[in-house]
């Protein structure tokens, strides 16, 4: 297998294979070395590293745990232990192990970088910034940390227009009307240039092109998206994002403006011929078309919509669209607060009680009734959510009943006659897999027109579908996915903390998806109208 004659030469060959990305060959070589020198902690650590690269995470965890047991002073092993974490369903906080690694080796840059990520997720932002700065002082070539700093600059660049204007900070405005601090975005580009110079990861290159778009440097963004698109093979997850990004940036950002304008205009096709005979349609069409032209001329969606705010319900519907579009990519981290069902309307309590009995017969355990406080601003009224998990942990159920908001008497009478003013009584089943795919089945019908991204495979059965059919459909869909993806395993979710953690992951992914498509798709906007 190798011509090396000494362990040192073999380790040098292992390092070369690892650096070149030949991880399977590197594993064979390190296994041969371990066979010759069983129990050697350094070799076991190298084996854990290469198993991690091969995404054989359970084996990597076992190997690195052996290393820290044999050699507890091995700082890099504690760092890798924190990176690998634990299997789904096992609670683990990496912070103590990272602090142990730093205590053992204060100059270990990677440990400080990963600790910075962990602390920022815990919202300990001041120390996170200090640890990240220290990591890059110790190792200016740590490209992951450089790219992470850029992502922080990008995510924290949302401007406070009034305060930032007083400080003399230059701002840029997106097509949707959001303002960002220009210096922060420019620093993000500079950091990404540094990271890419060290390692041209597709994710770094896409991130850089996206920030160039946000800065209004559209020609540079187009060139960057196009180069990335050409360099990536078919099927690469970043390739499709690069194609969409290029389309948005083309013609000085006109691609994005035209896309939004067309989506606004096409909503008018949802009106029937009879409805178009009314003056109310003419008013609504004037608002939408004027707003679309405003977007084409360079105004933001928010500015274009606000230009036509009035006491007219039709005008205000257009403004409402802009608000909803903005909210799509800003959903808060899930927060479920235990509540008392007695405090909620009869229709909510009755639907929850009906589903409680049926789900219990199907092997589900109720975790409780909750107030989804993270949705308070969006819902603008009391809403109870009942959460259940199946005994095996492979399926969760969310149950809620929601009446439509009062639209005014005239609109109420019209909707009532059309049979469109109905209480939504929903049960939604979810199974999450360790490849980040989520299978969702509900009887929500058209209650929510928005999607969460390609990873979220939702099937919305017609409103009123019996719970038993929803469950049978879900079980069948999960089985189909499992059979087609043998390496994907369902995540075990048995308690509120695990439910919240899974929903938080989905929220982050959904928000990112929203930004990647320009916040809303044409079919979604059609459904909304």
């Amino acid at each position: 297998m190798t011509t090396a004659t000494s362990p040192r030469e073999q380790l040098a060959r292992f390092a070369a294979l690892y650096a070149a990305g030949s991880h399977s060959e590197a594993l064979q070589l390190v296994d041969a070395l371990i066979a010759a020198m069983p129990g050697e902690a350094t070799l076991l650590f190298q084996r854990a590293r290469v198993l991690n690269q091969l995404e054989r995470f359970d084996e990597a965890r076992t190997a690195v745990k052996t290393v820290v047991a044999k050699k507890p002073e091995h700082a890099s092993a504690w760092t890798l232990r924190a990176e690998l974490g634990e299997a789904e369903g096992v609670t683990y906080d990496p912070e103590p192990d990272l602090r142990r690694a730093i205590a053992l080796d204060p100059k270990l840059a990677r440990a400080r970088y990963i600790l910075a990520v962990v602390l920022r997720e815990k919202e300990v932002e001041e120390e996170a910034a200090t640890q990240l700065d220290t990591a890059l002082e110790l190792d200016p070539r740590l490209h992951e940390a450089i790219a992470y700093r850029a992502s922080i600059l990008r995510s924290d660049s949302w401007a406070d227009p009034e305060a930032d204007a007083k400080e003399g900070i230059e701002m840029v405005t997106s097509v949707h009307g959001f303002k960002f601090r220009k210096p922060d975005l420019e620093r993000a580009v500079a950091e990404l240039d540094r990271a890419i110079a060290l390692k041209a990861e597709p994710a770094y290159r896409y991130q850089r092109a996206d920030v160039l778009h946000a800065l209004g440097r559209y020609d540079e963004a187009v060139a960057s998206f196009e180069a990335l698109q050409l360099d990536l093979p078919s099927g690469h997850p970043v390739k499709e994002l690069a194609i969409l990004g290029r389309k948005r940036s083309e013609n000085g950002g006109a691609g994005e403006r035209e896309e939004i304008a067309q989506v606004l205009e096409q909503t008018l096709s949802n009106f029937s011929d009879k409805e178009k005979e009314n003056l109310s349609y003419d008013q609504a069409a004037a608002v939408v078309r004027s707003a679309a032209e405003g977007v084409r001329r360079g105004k933001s969606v928010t500015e274009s919509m606000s230009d036509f705010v009035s006491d007219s319900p039709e005008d205000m519907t257009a403004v409402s669209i802009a608000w909803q579009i903005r909210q799509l990519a800003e959903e808060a981290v899930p927060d479920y607060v235990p509540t008392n069902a007695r405090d909620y309307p009869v229709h909510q309590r009755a639907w929850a009680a009906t589903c409680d009995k049926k789900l219990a017969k199907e092997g589900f355990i109720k975790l409780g009734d909750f107030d989804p406080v993270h949705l308070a601003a969006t819902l603008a009224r009391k809403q109870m959510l009942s959460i259940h998990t199946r005994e095996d942990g492979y399926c969760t159920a969310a149950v809620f009943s929601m009446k439509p908001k009062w639209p005014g008497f005239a609109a109420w009478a019209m909707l009532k006659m059309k049979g469109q003013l109905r209480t939504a009584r929903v049960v939604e089943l979810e199974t999450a897999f360790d490849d980040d795919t989520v299978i969702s089945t509900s009887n929500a019908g058209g209650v929510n027109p928005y999607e969460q991204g390609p990873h979220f495979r939702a099937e919305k059965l017609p409103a009123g579908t019996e719970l038993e059919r929803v469950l049978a459909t879900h079980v069948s869909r999960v089985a189909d996915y499992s059979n087609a993806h043998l390496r994907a395993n369902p995540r075990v979710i048995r308690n509120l903390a695990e439910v919240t953690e899974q929903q938080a992951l989905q929220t982050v992914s959904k928000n990112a998806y929203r930004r990647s498509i320009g916040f809303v798709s044409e079919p979604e906007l059609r459904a909304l109208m």
Side-chain angles (χ1 to χ4, degrees), residues 396 428-441 452-459 474 477-478 481 491 493 502-503 505-506 509:
T396 59
E428 181 175 12
L429 304 174
E430 283 188 8
T431 297
F433 286 81
D434 56 14
D435 64 354
D436 293 333
T437 297
V438 178
I439 306 295
S440 166
T441 312
Q452 294 195 31
H455 78 289
F456 193 86
R457 304 190 176 199
E459 182 167 339
H474 185 75
R477 294 180 66 225
V478 169
Y481 185 82
R491 291 175 175 167
I493 299 174
Q502 175 59 36
Q503 292 302 313
L505 289 172
Q506 290 174 211
S509 180

Side-chain angles (χ1 to χ4, degrees), residues 298-316:
K299 286 190 174 184
S300 70
V301 173
T302 304
E303 290 171 333
S304 294
M305 290 297 189
S306 63
D307 283 346
F308 303 98
V309 174
S310 72
D311 292 332
S312 164
E314 290 80 9
D315 292 356
M316 295 311 298

